[in-house]
Short mmCIF file of all heavy atoms in Angstrom, two decimals:
data_model
loop_
_atom_site.label_atom_id
_atom_site.label_comp_id
_atom_site.label_asym_id
_atom_site.label_seq_id
_atom_site.Cartn_x
_atom_site.Cartn_y
_atom_site.Cartn_z
N PRO A 735 -57.16 13.68 71.97
CA PRO A 735 -56.36 12.46 71.78
C PRO A 735 -56.38 11.48 72.96
O PRO A 735 -55.98 10.35 72.84
CB PRO A 735 -54.95 13.00 71.55
CG PRO A 735 -54.92 14.30 72.22
CD PRO A 735 -56.32 14.85 72.11
N PHE A 736 -56.89 11.95 74.10
CA PHE A 736 -56.92 11.08 75.28
C PHE A 736 -58.27 10.39 75.46
O PHE A 736 -58.45 9.60 76.37
CB PHE A 736 -56.58 11.90 76.50
CG PHE A 736 -55.20 12.51 76.39
CD1 PHE A 736 -55.03 13.85 76.13
CD2 PHE A 736 -54.07 11.72 76.51
CE1 PHE A 736 -53.78 14.37 75.99
CE2 PHE A 736 -52.80 12.21 76.41
CZ PHE A 736 -52.66 13.56 76.15
N VAL A 737 -59.24 10.68 74.61
CA VAL A 737 -60.55 10.03 74.67
C VAL A 737 -60.48 8.75 73.85
O VAL A 737 -60.01 8.77 72.70
CB VAL A 737 -61.70 10.95 74.19
CG1 VAL A 737 -62.99 10.22 74.10
CG2 VAL A 737 -61.79 12.16 75.09
N SER A 738 -60.95 7.63 74.39
CA SER A 738 -60.88 6.36 73.70
C SER A 738 -61.70 6.37 72.40
O SER A 738 -62.76 7.01 72.33
CB SER A 738 -61.46 5.25 74.60
OG SER A 738 -61.53 4.05 73.88
N LEU A 739 -61.15 5.75 71.38
CA LEU A 739 -61.87 5.67 70.09
C LEU A 739 -62.99 4.63 70.16
O LEU A 739 -63.88 4.64 69.36
CB LEU A 739 -60.88 5.30 68.98
CG LEU A 739 -59.80 6.34 68.67
CD1 LEU A 739 -58.82 5.79 67.67
CD2 LEU A 739 -60.42 7.61 68.19
N LEU A 740 -62.87 3.72 71.09
CA LEU A 740 -63.88 2.64 71.23
C LEU A 740 -64.65 2.82 72.50
O LEU A 740 -64.07 3.00 73.56
CB LEU A 740 -63.17 1.27 71.22
CG LEU A 740 -62.35 0.94 70.03
CD1 LEU A 740 -61.59 -0.35 70.23
CD2 LEU A 740 -63.17 0.88 68.76
N THR A 741 -65.93 2.80 72.40
CA THR A 741 -66.77 2.82 73.59
C THR A 741 -67.44 1.47 73.73
O THR A 741 -67.52 0.69 72.79
CB THR A 741 -67.86 3.91 73.47
OG1 THR A 741 -68.71 3.60 72.38
CG2 THR A 741 -67.24 5.26 73.28
N THR A 742 -67.88 1.14 74.91
CA THR A 742 -68.42 -0.20 75.14
C THR A 742 -69.69 -0.46 74.27
O THR A 742 -69.92 -1.55 73.87
CB THR A 742 -68.86 -0.38 76.63
OG1 THR A 742 -69.70 0.67 77.01
CG2 THR A 742 -67.61 -0.39 77.50
N ASN A 743 -70.44 0.58 73.96
CA ASN A 743 -71.63 0.39 73.08
C ASN A 743 -71.19 0.01 71.67
O ASN A 743 -71.89 -0.69 70.98
CB ASN A 743 -72.47 1.64 73.05
CG ASN A 743 -73.11 1.91 74.38
OD1 ASN A 743 -73.31 1.04 75.18
ND2 ASN A 743 -73.49 3.17 74.62
N ASP A 744 -70.04 0.52 71.22
CA ASP A 744 -69.57 0.19 69.88
C ASP A 744 -68.99 -1.21 69.78
O ASP A 744 -68.94 -1.77 68.71
CB ASP A 744 -68.47 1.16 69.45
CG ASP A 744 -69.01 2.60 69.30
OD1 ASP A 744 -70.24 2.74 69.14
OD2 ASP A 744 -68.22 3.51 69.33
N LEU A 745 -68.57 -1.77 70.87
CA LEU A 745 -67.93 -3.09 70.85
C LEU A 745 -68.89 -4.25 70.88
O LEU A 745 -68.60 -5.31 70.36
CB LEU A 745 -66.96 -3.21 72.06
CG LEU A 745 -65.82 -2.27 72.10
CD1 LEU A 745 -65.01 -2.43 73.37
CD2 LEU A 745 -64.89 -2.48 70.88
N ARG A 746 -69.98 -4.12 71.52
CA ARG A 746 -70.87 -5.25 71.75
C ARG A 746 -72.07 -5.18 70.87
O ARG A 746 -72.52 -4.11 70.54
CB ARG A 746 -71.34 -5.29 73.21
CG ARG A 746 -70.22 -5.46 74.19
CD ARG A 746 -69.66 -6.82 74.10
NE ARG A 746 -68.56 -6.94 75.06
CZ ARG A 746 -67.84 -8.03 75.16
NH1 ARG A 746 -68.12 -9.07 74.42
NH2 ARG A 746 -66.84 -8.06 76.00
N PRO A 747 -72.64 -6.29 70.51
CA PRO A 747 -72.21 -7.65 70.77
C PRO A 747 -71.12 -8.09 69.79
O PRO A 747 -70.99 -7.54 68.72
CB PRO A 747 -73.47 -8.46 70.57
CG PRO A 747 -74.22 -7.74 69.50
CD PRO A 747 -73.91 -6.27 69.77
N LEU A 748 -70.36 -9.10 70.20
CA LEU A 748 -69.39 -9.72 69.35
C LEU A 748 -70.10 -10.76 68.49
O LEU A 748 -71.15 -11.26 68.86
CB LEU A 748 -68.27 -10.40 70.15
CG LEU A 748 -67.51 -9.46 71.08
CD1 LEU A 748 -66.52 -10.27 71.92
CD2 LEU A 748 -66.76 -8.39 70.28
N ILE A 749 -69.48 -11.15 67.37
CA ILE A 749 -70.13 -12.12 66.49
C ILE A 749 -70.26 -13.48 67.19
O ILE A 749 -71.19 -14.21 66.91
CB ILE A 749 -69.38 -12.22 65.15
CG1 ILE A 749 -70.25 -12.94 64.14
CG2 ILE A 749 -68.04 -12.94 65.33
CD1 ILE A 749 -69.93 -12.64 62.71
N SER A 750 -69.37 -13.78 68.12
CA SER A 750 -69.47 -15.05 68.87
C SER A 750 -70.61 -15.04 69.90
O SER A 750 -70.96 -16.07 70.43
CB SER A 750 -68.14 -15.32 69.55
OG SER A 750 -67.83 -14.30 70.47
N GLU A 751 -71.18 -13.87 70.18
CA GLU A 751 -72.24 -13.76 71.15
C GLU A 751 -73.63 -13.80 70.60
O GLU A 751 -74.60 -13.75 71.34
CB GLU A 751 -72.06 -12.46 71.97
CG GLU A 751 -70.78 -12.39 72.74
CD GLU A 751 -70.58 -11.03 73.40
OE1 GLU A 751 -71.25 -10.07 73.04
OE2 GLU A 751 -69.68 -10.93 74.22
N VAL A 752 -73.77 -13.83 69.25
CA VAL A 752 -75.11 -13.84 68.65
C VAL A 752 -75.33 -15.08 67.82
O VAL A 752 -74.42 -15.70 67.32
CB VAL A 752 -75.32 -12.58 67.76
CG1 VAL A 752 -75.36 -11.32 68.60
CG2 VAL A 752 -74.30 -12.48 66.68
N ARG A 753 -76.64 -15.47 67.75
CA ARG A 753 -77.05 -16.59 66.95
C ARG A 753 -78.26 -16.17 66.12
O ARG A 753 -79.07 -15.38 66.56
CB ARG A 753 -77.51 -17.79 67.83
CG ARG A 753 -76.40 -18.36 68.70
CD ARG A 753 -75.46 -19.18 67.87
NE ARG A 753 -74.39 -19.73 68.68
CZ ARG A 753 -73.13 -19.24 68.73
NH1 ARG A 753 -72.77 -18.24 68.05
NH2 ARG A 753 -72.23 -19.81 69.50
N ILE A 754 -78.37 -16.73 64.92
CA ILE A 754 -79.51 -16.42 64.06
C ILE A 754 -80.67 -17.27 64.55
O ILE A 754 -80.53 -18.50 64.74
CB ILE A 754 -79.19 -16.79 62.61
CG1 ILE A 754 -78.03 -15.95 62.08
CG2 ILE A 754 -80.44 -16.53 61.73
CD1 ILE A 754 -77.56 -16.35 60.69
N THR A 755 -81.82 -16.66 64.77
CA THR A 755 -83.03 -17.43 65.13
C THR A 755 -83.95 -17.56 63.92
O THR A 755 -84.58 -18.61 63.77
CB THR A 755 -83.79 -16.73 66.30
OG1 THR A 755 -84.15 -15.41 65.92
CG2 THR A 755 -82.92 -16.71 67.52
N THR A 756 -84.06 -16.53 63.11
CA THR A 756 -85.00 -16.55 61.96
C THR A 756 -84.46 -15.74 60.82
O THR A 756 -83.81 -14.70 61.07
CB THR A 756 -86.34 -15.97 62.38
OG1 THR A 756 -86.82 -16.62 63.54
CG2 THR A 756 -87.38 -16.11 61.27
N ILE A 757 -84.70 -16.17 59.60
CA ILE A 757 -84.43 -15.36 58.40
C ILE A 757 -85.66 -15.31 57.56
O ILE A 757 -86.18 -16.37 57.16
CB ILE A 757 -83.24 -15.92 57.60
CG1 ILE A 757 -81.94 -15.81 58.39
CG2 ILE A 757 -83.10 -15.18 56.27
CD1 ILE A 757 -80.74 -16.38 57.67
N ALA A 758 -86.18 -14.13 57.27
CA ALA A 758 -87.27 -13.91 56.30
C ALA A 758 -86.60 -13.45 55.04
O ALA A 758 -86.20 -12.29 54.95
CB ALA A 758 -88.27 -12.92 56.82
N TYR A 759 -86.46 -14.35 54.06
CA TYR A 759 -85.65 -14.08 52.87
C TYR A 759 -86.52 -13.56 51.73
O TYR A 759 -87.56 -14.16 51.41
CB TYR A 759 -84.94 -15.34 52.43
CG TYR A 759 -84.05 -15.15 51.21
CD1 TYR A 759 -82.87 -14.38 51.29
CD2 TYR A 759 -84.40 -15.72 49.99
CE1 TYR A 759 -82.09 -14.16 50.18
CE2 TYR A 759 -83.61 -15.51 48.88
CZ TYR A 759 -82.46 -14.76 48.97
OH TYR A 759 -81.69 -14.56 47.86
N ASP A 760 -86.11 -12.47 51.12
CA ASP A 760 -86.75 -11.92 49.94
C ASP A 760 -85.84 -12.26 48.74
O ASP A 760 -84.67 -11.85 48.72
CB ASP A 760 -86.88 -10.39 50.08
CG ASP A 760 -87.42 -9.70 48.83
OD1 ASP A 760 -88.03 -10.43 47.99
OD2 ASP A 760 -87.25 -8.50 48.72
#
Side-chain angles (χ1 to χ4, degrees):
F736 300 104
V737 174
S738 174
L739 295 174
L740 302 174
T741 62
T742 55
N743 293 337
D744 294 339
L745 296 176
R746 299 289 179 182
L748 301 175
I749 197 156
S750 61
E751 297 173 347
V752 294
R753 298 286 180 256
I754 300 173
T755 58
T756 308
I757 294 178
Y759 181 70
D760 175 18

